[in-house]
Amino acid sequence: MDGKFQDNDITKIVEADRAHVWHHLTQHKPFETGEPRIITEGKGMKVWDQKGVEHLDAVSGGVWTVNVGYGRESIADAVREQLVKLNYFAGAAGSIPGALFAEKLIEKMPGMTRVYYTNSGSEANEKAWKMIRQIAHKRYGGQKHKILYRERDYHGTTIAALSAGGQEERNAQYGPFAPGFVEVPHCLEYRKQWDVEDYGRRAADAIEEVILREGPETVGGLCLEPITAGGGVIVPPEGYWERVQEICRKYDILLHIDEVVCGIGRTGTWFGYQHYGIEPDFVTMAKGVASGYAAIACCVTTEKVFELFKDDSTDPMNYFRDISTFGGCTAGPAAALENMRIIEEEGLLENCERMGERLMANLRALQEKHACIGDVRGKGLFCGAELVADRETKEPADEKLCQKVVAECAAERVIIGVTNRSIPGFNNTLTFSPALIATEADIDRITEAVDVALGRVFG
């Protein structure tokens, strides 16, 4: 083959894939007798596989990424135009789309001022942790170096990111991990760890308990998802975030919000943390920044953080001595600019909020109908339904049954997600994150498929 697909014989593609491609998150043994799935085309909310079968995509590319939908010619045009003009130059110099997108992004993030470009969410998170560590050496003799992360949260696939990963099955068999990362308890009230009335505040107080145990003088940063994604779509309880902010300020701890999933509109605001009125020191983002049309990720900081890296220009070590090779690609910010324009001009934040309300209402209606739905939670077009074997005891549904629900939805030509290889015994939450362009008909079709699937699997 010459690398181009110009005929109708898809078998060549399937065989090339089966022989040479190592798929993500996939056990390949079944491909010895069956075909891998190949997605050949996408338009709007729909994708087609190699057999020409159409599916409604309710997970935005499988992993919460294609926020503005498939087939956006204006983004493709913006990328092509930029690539012809300048495709790349190392991030030690600037670029026109890099400067313009940084300015546009900061307009959406009051209190934040600086954008550091990288190529993935994992890498963006590592930049924040490196900054925290370097600040520890610059100001605290290296002592204030520990980084706290939350149980059930996920921050990426590298060894450092897994070191800050609160999902046991994601981490299994990849240790030993980097030292100095310390776990704090999760905040899922449905799986409550404390029998108290003010659960949000109590869950946040648990973070303070860890800080006091470790020693506040050793803790430099706290990294949290605004809404936990792969760990079960967990919306923090009322009062949680206010107390978290208070704790960080009390102990001089830098607050790092991982917006890789929630960022750029997924929850109905530009960023998930903006629902809660908190003021982070770092915000990291990736997936929806360019809706998957080009690789781009960002680590965004305040001016206060930025100033710490240029306070003594005579010291040759006194700056952030870091590079991200593909952070110098210009396609990413070019695509991100057009992606943001689409969201603004088409009113997709408002649509996300409206359709999110409809999705939650539909899921709650299914909860009334199907005893296997124990809890429904979410914000905007980022929702989950936790499946249980028994509502009274909250015993989690068998994860094989949860996966079967996903398969039955696929049989209805709707692609949904489920938490997997994350928390032992708790890979039982169906996940929904359709593109921000979703219509009422799309939302209803998604939940109708779930209705049929739950009936088939659980009766």
Side-chain angles (χ1 to χ4, degrees), residues 375-408:
D375 192 34
V376 170
R377 47 190 183 253
K379 194 173 285 289
L381 285 171
F382 182 33
C383 301
E386 182 166 348
L387 304 185
V388 294
D390 186 295
R391 273 194 186 170
E392 293 300 316
T393 65
K394 298 183 182 179
E395 177 188 350
D398 186 291
E399 64 180 75
K400 290 183 179 179
L401 294 179
C402 300
Q403 292 165 0
K404 191 172 181 182
V405 172
V406 175
E408 291 295 339

Side-chain angles (χ1 to χ4, degrees), residues 329-362:
C329 288
T330 61
L337 274 165
E338 181 61 15
N339 184 71
M340 188 170 279
R341 184 198 67 78
I342 289 169
I343 292 173
E344 288 184 309
E345 293 192 5
E346 296 185 9
L348 296 187
L349 295 184
E350 295 79 6
N351 189 66
C352 178
E353 187 175 7
R354 290 193 305 271
M355 293 304 104
E357 290 173 357
R358 188 178 188 91
L359 178 54
M360 286 292 288
N362 286 9

Side-chain angles (χ1 to χ4, degrees), residues 20 22 34 50 111 130 143 170 182 186 207 226 249 256 263 266 335 360 413-414:
H20 304 296
W22 196 331
Q50 71 263 36
K130 287 179 71 175
Q143 188 177 17
R170 295 279 185 202
V182 181
H186 70 74
I207 297 174
R249 288 173 175 165
H256 168 193
R266 173 55 53 195
M360 286 292 288
R413 306 296 183 248
V414 173

Side-chain angles (χ1 to χ4, degrees), residues 77 116 134 242 267 343-345 366 380:
D77 290 342
Y116 191 96
Q134 192 170 343
E242 294 87 345
T267 66
I343 292 173
E344 288 184 309
E345 293 192 5
L366 290 181

Side-chain angles (χ1 to χ4, degrees), residues 10 41 69 95 203 231 257-258 290 292-293 310 320 355 373 380 392 423 451-452:
I10 196 69
E41 188 176 353
S95 72
I257 305 298
D258 178 349
Y293 284 84
K310 66 186 185 82
F320 190 44
M355 293 304 104
I373 299 181
E392 293 300 316
I423 316 297
D451 186 16
V452 170

Side-chain angles (χ1 to χ4, degrees), residues 295-364:
I296 181 175
C298 308
C299 176
V300 182
T301 75
T302 62
E303 197 69 9
K304 181 179 178 181
V305 168
F306 178 73
E307 289 287 340
L308 291 172
F309 292 87
K310 66 186 185 82
D311 55 338
D312 182 2
S313 62
T314 65
D315 181 356
M317 298 290 281
N318 190 36
Y319 63 96
F320 190 44
R321 304 179 312 281
D322 179 274
I323 187 172
S324 169
T325 297
F326 292 119
C329 288
T330 61
L337 274 165
E338 181 61 15
N339 184 71
M340 188 170 279
R341 184 198 67 78
I342 289 169
I343 292 173
E344 288 184 309
E345 293 192 5
E346 296 185 9
L348 296 187
L349 295 184
E350 295 79 6
N351 189 66
C352 178
E353 187 175 7
R354 290 193 305 271
M355 293 304 104
E357 290 173 357
R358 188 178 188 91
L359 178 54
M360 286 292 288
N362 286 9
L363 290 173
R364 290 190 180 110

